[in-house]
Amino acid sequence: MATYKKRGHKPKTKEEKKAAIEQESTTAEVFNTLDERASKTEEWVSKNQKYIFILIGAVSVVVLGYLAYNQYIVKPKELEASNEMYQAQVYWEQALNAPQKDSLFNLALNGGQGKYGFLDIIDNYSGTDAANISRYYAGIAYMNTKNYREAIDQLDKFKPKDEMLGPIAKGNIGDAFVQLGQNEDALKYYKEAASLNENEFTSPKYLLKAALVALDLKNAKEALTHLNKIKTDFPESPEANQVDVYLGQAQAMSQN
């Protein structure tokens, strides 16, 4: 059993004296080792001081360069891109409610009145948030003008930062593939749209579209999966009111 030794205790027996000598020896070795390592570290620092300062200087240059680039190049470019995009957004919003949409969507895409369109923003302000969101606007404009390949190209390159725009972009790619008769691809994107940032609005909408495409592909099992998920997870959604009809179709198909 371990015994507690009071501070200042003097060894009396031969064994205690021996243990005390060994302890002092071990402690001395530890301190000697630490001193030796410290000396080697100081020696290494002294020998490589020039390179250390060069490394610190290089890191400082990179950090300061990044900050300067962000402050004097990126931010002004973002502001300029946002300003240039304004007229294209006006055309796009007008097109949504206009009886003749194509001409306004084309202006939104290609520009008008000496102002850039979304395609110009994408080309001239690559890497900015404005160029990124322009891909979304351009994709929807192409969908509305029935240019489905171009819509897919723009929407697939769009990197969503908004919880709602991400699923809508994926869902529109699914819609474009349906129009092109590529239902396998459409199903893939509808599933992505339904699972991306799950919510009461987009998820049941794209689950139903996925189920309908699955039925068209004679894939009853997959259709049942999507329909049952709507019924279980989104019972209050408008899509839930349509589920029972399609469930009957899917169940009948699965028995054949």
Side-chain angles (χ1 to χ4, degrees), residues 57-118:
V59 171
S60 299
V61 167
V62 170
V63 171
L64 291 173
Y66 170 78
L67 293 174
Y69 176 78
N70 191 57
Q71 183 66 32
Y72 298 110
I73 296 178
V74 174
K75 287 185 178 179
K77 189 177 181 182
E78 285 283 3
L79 181 60
E80 184 180 331
S82 296
N83 291 335
E84 289 288 351
M85 189 173 66
Y86 173 75
Q87 187 58 50
Q89 287 176 299
V90 170
Y91 289 134
W92 192 89
E93 288 167 9
Q94 288 175 343
L96 294 178
N97 302 309
Q100 300 297 325
K101 298 178 183 294
D102 284 12
S103 60
L104 285 167
F105 275 126
N106 284 326
L107 285 170
L109 285 165
N110 300 300
Q113 299 182 18
K115 299 293 184 180
Y116 279 165
F118 292 124

Side-chain angles (χ1 to χ4, degrees), residues 158-224:
F158 169 58
K159 296 179 176 59
K161 296 183 179 180
D162 181 278
E163 289 188 357
M164 298 302 288
L165 291 187
I168 292 171
K170 295 290 184 185
N172 271 275
I173 294 174
D175 291 342
F177 275 123
V178 166
Q179 293 298 325
L180 292 169
Q182 296 177 225
N183 283 354
E184 290 284 0
D185 294 310
L187 180 58
K188 171 191 169 186
Y189 278 95
Y190 283 146
K191 287 161 66 176
E192 286 185 30
S195 62
L196 186 62
N197 302 322
E198 279 199 6
N199 62 82
E200 295 285 335
F201 174 66
T202 60
S203 295
K205 176 180 180 179
Y206 293 120
L207 281 169
L208 183 59
K209 288 193 174 191
L212 295 179
V213 169
L215 283 172
D216 193 61
L217 291 168
K218 310 300 181 187
N219 190 338
K221 182 179 179 181
E222 179 138 7
L224 285 168

Side-chain angles (χ1 to χ4, degrees), residues 231-251:
K231 198 165 187 176
T232 302
D233 295 357
F234 307 101
E236 304 300 320
S237 66
E239 289 77 15
N241 297 325
Q242 306 174 53
V243 163
D244 287 337
V245 174
Y246 296 117
L247 271 175
Q249 292 181 22
Q251 287 164 351

Side-chain angles (χ1 to χ4, degrees), residues 21-35:
I21 291 169
E22 289 176 351
Q23 185 175 355
E24 288 173 5
S25 176
T26 302
T27 302
E29 286 180 13
V30 169
F31 280 111
N32 285 337
T33 301
L34 291 174
D35 287 341

Side-chain angles (χ1 to χ4, degrees), residues 135-147:
R135 290 195 181 281
Y136 173 80
Y137 284 124
I140 301 301
Y142 277 131
M143 282 294 296
N144 279 275
T145 53
K146 298 180 173 55
N147 292 295

